[in-house]
Each structure stands twice: as structure tokens, then as C-alpha cells.
Amino acid sequence: MACEYGVGILGCGNISAAYFKLIPLFKNLKAVACADINPAAAEARAAEFGVRAETVEALLADPEVDVIVNLTIPEAHFAMSKRALEAGKHVYSEKPFVLSVEEGEELRKIADAKGLRVGSAPDTFLGGAHQFARKLIDDGAIGKVMSGTAHVLGAGMEAWHPNPDFFFRPGGGPILDMGPYYVTNLVNLVGPVKRVMAMANMARTERVIGNGPRNGEAVPVSTPTNIHAILEFENGAHIALMGSWDVIANKHTNMELYGVDGALHVPDPNFFGGSVEMAQRGGKGFEAVELWDHPLTSAKFQTQDGRMLANYRAAGLSDMMAAHEEGREHRCSLDRALHVVDVLLSILKSAEEKRSVDIGTKCTQPAPFSMQEAAALMR
Ligand SMILES: NC(=O)c1ccc[n+]([C@@H]2O[C@H](COP(=O)([O-])OP(=O)(O)OC[C@H]3O[C@@H](n4cnc5c(N)ncnc54)[C@H](O)[C@@H]3O)[C@@H](O)[C@H]2O)c1
């Protein structure tokens, strides 16, 4: 019988509700307590989901908490993950888990010395749709991937998020905020990145909040909001990534990969499901591929606006704790998350310094996540 690990949620804002709802899907996880620098936020989530609200100090010292899920804002991720490791807890952080390679290396040092795990979102690449795309590529269905495009475009986060300040400060912006989903999935599908080149600008220096108690308040912008990048992968592929919050409307697809013998349409890497389409040389162009019956595919999660989505956030956390027990590498590993952060920061650096930037960190492609392995983690 697998262990059940006590989860302490640190940071009880917007995304914490999804974690509280999804953690119970996984056999080896149990949410036991939560904390926030704003005690009222922790108390509200505790009442909603039947866990204990604690102070931050008490959560980090709680003997029933084995792993801290760090859902604070990007600027606080490193400091709070470091404190959690020093307190002897495993850490799984929302993205971006650090804001420099040095911070990531520091966490690695502490974790290694204490035999603790560090993992990071996004884990959406573990979803059935993305794992199916991975299987098609691994099986040679489109031949070697040599190019592709990825688009994460929108009008910004200020319309819906009641406290969007962090999105427009260093650590936010479309590349650091949404880029992790795209680059993590590209590492899953194509492998690690070798070099990047980019250009960036911003359409506005202020954004106006459109929701919640601060509706109408202006928020300053201090990070680029419109970025074009080309990523050169270790396998030789060149893939164009555009991340922008200055786009009112567009008709681009989220991700397309072009292989020597075919092309693959990959659904939005922000989600676990979606449709995969494939075209093969001599065929009729893109056609939907029937998805396999992977446990992380079906749309069973209701969003605040009533849509049904495939959402299995916490799958990466569950895999991390299972990997700890089994003595194997976890898929949302520090190495991969740090490589992704390095790629994203290097994109911004390339734009700022008007030159290509070699990626210093290395990682491997994660192991595929089979239907059997996914099913074994779920209740
Ligand atoms: N909102 C989403 O839909 C979403 C989706 C995926 C990932 N994320 C990521 O999750 C993280 C949190 O996002 P959010 O939207 O929930 O933000 P949020 O601002 O709604 O919530 C963050 C919470 O963390 C608390 N906090 C900040 N610093 C803290 C500290 N030092 N110690 C304890 N608590 C602290 C804040 O008081 C707040 O309650 C971000 O990294 C974001 O990129 C958010």
C-alpha cells in the first residue's frame, strides 16, 4: 500500500481552490492544512475545504505536513520554498518556481543535503492529450521534428484577476507566466533547448483592473508584454514562440510541430485535454486523431464560468511523492523546471541584449506517463 503524504497549502489565493479540489483525486495525497500571510485567506479556504488554517510558521513546523505546495506569488516562491526545505518538507511550487538559475541551484543544494524533493508546475504535459502527442512523435508518426510554432496570445490578465499586479512585474509577463506551459510541453515533446533569440516590446505602460474590489485601478507595467522568440532545440529543431498580452484577437493555434514526414497540432498546453490532429505526407491535411483512454484526458472539472475541462493539477505532485517512495526521478523535476526557467529568462535576456543566448542548464526529456502509471496514482 502506497504512503499517503500530508499536503500543506501555502498561499490561499485564486489557484488554491483548484488544488484543494484536485488533490483528493490522487491516492497518495491528503490536504491537511493551509496558511497565507493574509490569515483571512487561509481561514476562508480552510472552512471551504475542511482543513486546518495555520500561521505560515506553524504550517512549516506541522508534523502532519510532509510536502508544502507553494502557491504564493512568483516573487515569494524561492524564499518560501527555501524555508520549507529548511524545515524538512518536500516542496512542490507553482510556476515559475524560481526567478534565477542561482536560486534554483540553491534549492537543489538544500534538497539534496536533506534528501528532499523539489518539483514544479506545470504538470499539464502529463495530460492524456499531450502524452498522446508524445507517443505519436516517439512512434515516428511525423518523423523527426524540425520546426514548429507556439502562440500564447491574449489581451492580458487584468480583466479577470482581482490582484493582477504580479503579472506585470519582473517574474510575470506572458513569457514567465504562460511560457512555462509551452516550453515545458516542448521539452516533453521535442527535448531540451540549446539556444534562443528574441525581440520584445510592450503596448502599454499601465493596465487597468477590470474585476473585483480594485476595479478601475491602474497597475504599472515593468516587464515586456509582447515577445517573439526562436528556440533552437538540442535535436536541431527551430521552433517560434510568440507570447503576448497585447493581442485583442488572433486565429493562431497554440502549438504545431512540423516533422520530416508530417505535422502535429497539439492542444493548449495550459490544459490536460483537447484534440490532437495529425497530417502525414501524401494525406488530406490535418485530421483529428482518436485519443486513447488515458485517465488524465476527460473533461470533469467545472471552471468558475461553468465550462468543463480536463484538469488534473496535482498529478505532478502525486508523481513526485510516488517517485520519492520508489526511488526514481519525478517528471516535474527541479532539473526540468530550472531548464525551463533558464530558457524563459534567456528569451528576455536575448531581447534586452539584442543577441542569441546559449542555454547553460541541461535536462532530459521526461519519461512518458503511461495510462497504467497514471491510473495507479488515482483513487
Ligand atoms: N490563478 C490562476 O489561474 C493560476 C493558474 C496556474 C498557476 N498559477 C500560479 O499560481 C501562483 C499563485 O497565483 P494566484 O492566482 O493564486 O495568486 P493570488 O495573488 O490570487 O494568490 C497568492 C496568495 O499567496 C499569498 N502570499 C503571497 N506571499 C506570501 C508569502 N510570502 N507567504 C504566504 N502567503 C503568501 C497571498 O496573500 C495570496 O493569498 C502564481 O505563481 C501563478 O502563476 C495561477
Side-chain angles (χ1 to χ4, degrees):
M1 166 87 182
C3 290
E4 189 179 68
Y5 292 94
V7 178
I9 302 280
L10 180 65
C12 296
N14 208 284
I15 196 63
S16 64
Y19 277 87
F20 276 117
K21 284 180 194 160
L22 294 164
I23 280 171
L25 297 180
F26 298 93
K27 272 185 206 158
N28 60 349
L29 305 177
K30 182 171 195 241
V32 293
C34 65
D36 195 293
I37 35 166
N38 170 10
E43 279 153 24
R45 285 291 188 240
E48 196 179 348
F49 294 102
V51 299
R52 290 188 295 279
E54 297 179 342
T55 62
V56 172
E57 292 65 31
L59 186 79
L60 298 182
D62 189 330
E64 277 190 37
V65 171
D66 301 297
V67 54
I68 293 287
V69 173
N70 185 350
L71 307 181
T72 63
I73 54 175
E75 287 154 299
H77 284 164
F78 165 69
M80 299 315 292
S81 292
K82 187 176 169 191
R83 280 181 63 187
L85 289 171
E86 283 168 348
K89 310 296 187 194
H90 303 282
V91 173
Y92 184 85
S93 175
E94 255 303 336
K95 48 75 195 168
F97 82 119
V98 287
L99 294 178
S100 72
V101 171
E102 293 69 31
E103 287 178 353
E105 292 300 348
E106 198 174 330
L107 294 186
R108 185 206 306 278
K109 225 158 86 192
I110 305 169
D112 285 353
K114 291 181 170 262
L116 296 168
R117 298 277 175 144
V118 175
S120 172
D123 53 2
T124 42
F125 74 93
L126 299 177
H130 302 294
Q131 288 297 316
F132 193 64
R134 167 74 185 268
K135 183 170 156 42
L136 289 171
I137 293 172
D138 287 357
D139 290 349
I142 61 166
K144 184 180 173 191
V145 174
M146 288 306 293
S147 69
T149 61
H151 296 98
V152 51
L153 309 177
M157 308 306 230
E158 71 276 22
W160 64 273
H161 200 291
N163 291 302
D165 312 60
F166 74 84
F167 288 118
F168 299 103
R169 290 200 295 259
I175 282 295
L176 279 172
D177 181 65
M178 294 303 290
Y181 295 103
Y182 287 71
V183 176
T184 303
N185 204 24
L186 288 171
V187 170
N188 168 49
L189 297 170
V190 184
V193 180
K194 196 170 152 193
R195 186 169 68 113
V196 297
M197 292 180 80
M199 291 189 190
N201 62 15
M202 66 170 77
R204 283 173 288 156
T205 53
E206 268 189 2
R207 316 285 291 217
V208 178
I209 301 177
N211 185 29
R214 297 169 63 203
N215 199 347
E217 189 181 319
V219 171
V221 182
S222 53
T223 192
T225 47
N226 184 49
I227 299 105
H228 289 77
I230 300 171
L231 282 61
E232 180 182 17
F233 286 75
E234 293 279 359
N235 85 336
H238 292 172
I239 296 180
L241 166 67
M242 181 182 177
S244 181
W245 286 339
D246 295 329
V247 174
I248 303 302
N250 78 94
K251 287 187 172 183
H252 290 292
T253 58
N254 294 97
M255 190 176 282
E256 289 183 10
L257 297 176
Y258 310 122
V260 174
D261 300 313
L264 201 60
H265 163 87
V266 180
D268 189 342
N270 191 7
F271 303 107
F272 288 75
S275 68
V276 175
E277 293 176 30
M278 185 165 68
Q280 283 172 310
R281 192 183 293 285
K284 295 186 208 137
F286 275 124
E287 289 180 298
V289 186
E290 195 174 334
L291 284 186
W292 54 0
D293 196 16
H294 194 285
L296 304 192
T297 312
S298 49
K300 290 184 182 159
F301 182 86
Q302 187 161 26
T303 62
Q304 281 165 355
D305 57 11
R307 285 174 301 145
M308 296 305 288
L309 288 179
N311 192 353
Y312 297 93
R313 272 171 215 265
L317 168 65
S318 176
D319 175 60
M320 179 174 94
M321 298 318 296
H324 178 64
E325 203 175 328
E326 293 159 17
R328 62 170 170 84
E329 185 197 48
H330 53 289
R331 290 171 173 86
C332 297
S333 69
L334 185 147
D335 275 352
R336 274 178 213 111
L338 191 55
H339 180 69
V340 169
V341 167
D342 192 10
V343 169
L344 301 170
L345 291 172
S346 299
I347 287 173
L348 297 175
K349 183 173 179 182
S350 165
E352 203 177 310
E353 298 184 1
K354 300 182 169 57
R355 64 179 182 90
S356 72
V357 175
D358 292 331
I359 306 300
T361 55
K362 303 264 176 240
C363 74
T364 55
Q365 245 181 322
F369 194 43
S370 70
M371 292 199 276
Q372 294 72 15
E373 287 168 294
L377 293 181
M378 303 193 71
R379 279 191 212 281

